[in-house]
Amino acid sequence: MPMVDVNGVGRFGIVSDIDAFELPPEVWSDGNNVRFQDGKVKKMPGQSAVFDPPSVAPYALFPAPQNSVFYWIYCGLSAVYNVTGSTHDDMTHASGVNAVNTIPWTGGMFNGVMILNNGIDTPMMWNPGGAGNNLVDLTGFAARADACRIMRPFENYLMAFDVTISGVRYPYLTKWSQLADPGAVPTSWDETDATKDAGDSPKLADTPGYVLDALPLGNNLVIYKEDAIFGCQHIGGQFIFRIWKAIQEVGMLTHRCMCALPKGRHFVVTNDDIIVHNLSSAESIIDKQVKRNVFNELDVSQIIAAHVVPNYAQKEVWFCYPSGAATWCDKALIWHYIDGTFSYRDLPGTFHANIGLVDEAADETWDADNEAWDDDVTIWDDRAFEGLTRDVLLADTVNTKLLRADETEQFNGTNMTAFVERTDLGIAGQDREGNIKVDYAIRKMFRAVWIRATGSPFKVKLGTQQVRGGAVTWQTERTFTPGTDDKVDFIKSGVSIAIHFESTDNSSWTIEGYSLDIELLGKF
């Protein structure tokens, strides 16, 4: 009776594009709400409501540190709020907000000032920032244009793309502001003023696709269109910026489908692939792994909701997308950018996610500080946050919630189903070096599976297949309790075995590996 050890079960993650019988034993053929780390399979934590309840349904999230206070700004379709601790403050522009769910908000921090743009109104700024202050028009922009679909900071300039001037939309026009002074916003967008270095360029008209977004990469700004990737570099002199076509015939799927990676790279979801590039070369990271599954699931009619958020604390990138008939993002493909593994996670009705410090503890007020003056060693008005810990905050637009991810073992108080599965394991023994041998021409008797795991109890389901790639006959599931149980007995024959680990309760578990007790019955 050979005992075969399957170790390193978290090394390769889920691969669904290749038939299971062609995969190494350590690879999983299916799974959800799990992550692969340190060579192990771990149930993924859920999420919990924070800053509850938000005052409007959130469509976009922006972290906005202001001196000693860390704010989150959440944008609705007709109002904008900021929150810190338990205090929600209406910061809507005095003239109102006219956003739509077909044009995502863009913007970001620029010289300590939050810039917000919804593609319809004049771009806005939170200047001065802080509770009690409302958004106002971005200085100088309205004198030269009505609106722009995308606005992003780059170096000490603000960059506007897909610009509307006097009611006419110019989808290929790039405008940039005057160089801003340190700690200030630009004072002019006038490209006709020879005393200013504001300007514009029609270079993006080289391809017919519209501009979707832009993100800095080192000293360059990467401009993402529907059908190409352009580079933009500050060169000064007469032309100020050089714009060139960097990667042809590769466009981004939709707005906000990119993020920065370590070592000078970008992660980008394209129309039919996911790539990593450095502006000069690009490689697919999803081909022959989960590509077919993701793009077959993707609901193209609701593609505007799709977006990317990095989870740097876990060395992951999440591609959030609507699957099947979903109206909002209900699923995330998760890529571990160190190990190269893929997994999946369920999402609530999400329209956007972002990273920043998520802390509901309100800043201590003067009256609330009850320590004696001589004993209190804290610094008054010191910065209340250090290092800008980057948690993932989800905008649950459907349920009007703000949710911190990787928190608790439930989905905001509701139990989740987490599982990992492998079918078509035609294991027939191990060679002298410990390598697993696979043979689908030999029938086997499977007697038991020893499981190396920690954490809470979970369910184990085993099955057999009588032909390679055939239907699985599953045995009744059993409960396995780490630290108490060591194996699950299972006496059944076939050419291959299937194994399924699952939990449906408020629990946490980690699987490090397993061993199969197999008896070879002979070839067909």
Side-chain angles (χ1 to χ4, degrees), residues 6-7 9 28 39-43 420 449-460 479-488 499-503 508-515:
V6 182
N7 299 310
V9 293
W28 300 94
K40 304 171 185 178
V41 182
K42 302 180 180 182
K43 180 193 172 185
V420 66
V449 56
W450 273 259
I451 302 170
R452 297 181 291 282
T454 58
S456 305
F458 53 85
K459 300 172 185 177
V460 181
T479 297
F480 181 87
T481 302
T484 300
D485 301 327
D486 56 8
K487 67 184 177 74
V488 173
I499 189 165
H500 180 104
F501 302 106
E502 179 180 294
S503 64
S508 174
W509 44 265
T510 298
I511 298 171
E512 301 172 359
Y514 57 90
S515 301

Side-chain angles (χ1 to χ4, degrees), residues 241-258:
F241 286 98
R242 178 176 75 97
I243 298 175
W244 74 98
K245 191 188 306 179
I247 302 176
Q248 302 184 41
E249 300 177 355
V250 175
M252 194 161 69
L253 178 67
T254 189
H255 310 77
R256 306 181 299 193
C257 275
M258 76 293 182

Side-chain angles (χ1 to χ4, degrees), residues 332-462:
L333 173 71
I334 299 176
W335 180 56
H336 193 283
Y337 55 78
I338 301 298
D339 296 340
T341 58
F342 286 99
S343 58
Y344 293 96
R345 184 190 198 278
D346 291 328
L347 294 174
T350 305
F351 195 76
H352 191 221
N354 212 332
I355 55 172
L357 175 65
V358 180
D359 186 0
E360 293 186 284
D363 295 330
E364 188 174 44
T365 63
W366 183 277
D367 290 341
D369 189 348
N370 54 19
E371 284 192 281
W373 182 270
D374 290 340
D375 296 333
D376 194 339
V377 297
T378 59
I379 301 174
W380 184 254
D381 202 31
D382 189 24
R383 202 174 194 221
F385 48 90
E386 296 294 338
L388 299 187
T389 303
R390 291 177 287 188
D391 302 307
V392 175
L393 187 65
L394 305 172
D396 182 350
T397 312
V398 174
N399 301 298
T400 311
K401 294 287 183 182
L402 299 173
L403 301 166
R404 176 163 50 192
D406 278 338
E407 181 90 348
T408 79
E409 301 302 328
Q410 297 176 302
F411 285 153
N412 197 27
T414 301
N415 287 341
M416 71 169 97
T417 296
F419 79 93
V420 66
E421 177 182 291
R422 172 59 195 272
T423 59
D424 264 311
L425 274 168
I427 294 176
Q430 289 176 283
D431 63 20
R432 293 179 179 179
E433 286 74 35
N435 300 311
I436 297 175
K437 297 188 293 184
V438 174
D439 192 333
Y440 293 95
I442 300 177
R443 290 189 63 81
K444 303 101 178 170
M445 178 67 72
F446 302 100
R447 297 179 179 275
V449 56
W450 273 259
I451 302 170
R452 297 181 291 282
T454 58
S456 305
F458 53 85
K459 300 172 185 177
V460 181
K461 189 165 59 173
L462 299 166

Side-chain angles (χ1 to χ4, degrees), residues 47-64:
Q47 66 248 356
S48 61
V50 292
F51 312 124
D52 202 45
S55 301
V56 295
Y59 281 78
L61 300 169
F62 294 90

